[in-house]
């Protein structure tokens, strides 16, 4: 079956590909900016590791968005049927 540029499957795949591209860009920004912050920390005397707060919080959001993007899936017809039969 060929998917045209107007089919719902094509649009879902296109949106997913765009989200994956954005996530990879966000990961690159995460690495570059945090490397810069660690460099600033190192230059200013290696005291309390304050970049850890940025690394941790931003990293948590990156993990959550990766989970949503790579492991979450659309609800299937089989799952809907199973739920309907459970509560019938």
């Amino acid at each position: 079956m060929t998917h045209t540029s107007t089919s719902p499957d094509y649009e879902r795949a296109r949106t997913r590909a765009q989200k994956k591209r954005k996530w990879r860009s966000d990961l690159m920004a995460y690495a570059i900016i945090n490397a810069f912050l660690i460099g600033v920390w190192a230059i200013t005397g290696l005291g309390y590791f304050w970049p850890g707060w940025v690394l941790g919080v931003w990293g948590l959001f990156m993990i959550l968005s990766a989970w949503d993007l790579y492991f979450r899936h659309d609800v299937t017809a089989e799952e809907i049927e199973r739920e309907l039969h459970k509560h019938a």
Side-chain angles (χ1 to χ4, degrees), residues 11-85:
E11 282 305 313
R12 266 195 301 274
R14 183 176 178 277
T15 299
R16 194 159 172 76
Q18 287 175 327
K19 286 181 180 181
K20 285 181 179 182
R21 179 181 287 179
K22 182 187 180 312
W23 190 86
R24 288 188 300 266
S25 296
D26 291 347
L27 182 62
M28 185 59 70
Y30 174 82
I32 291 169
I33 291 170
N34 282 300
F36 172 76
L37 292 176
I38 291 169
V40 169
W41 167 78
I43 290 170
T44 60
L46 299 174
Y48 174 74
F49 188 66
W50 53 266
W53 288 100
V54 178
L55 283 162
V57 173
W58 193 357
L60 177 63
F61 285 113
M62 291 297 295
I63 289 168
L64 291 173
S65 66
W67 177 266
D68 185 50
L69 184 59
Y70 289 101
F71 297 104
R72 193 170 153 203
H73 63 281
D74 292 337
V75 176
T76 63
E78 292 82 22
E79 290 171 318
I80 294 169
E81 285 296 320
R82 195 173 26 231
E83 285 297 314
L84 285 170
H85 288 33

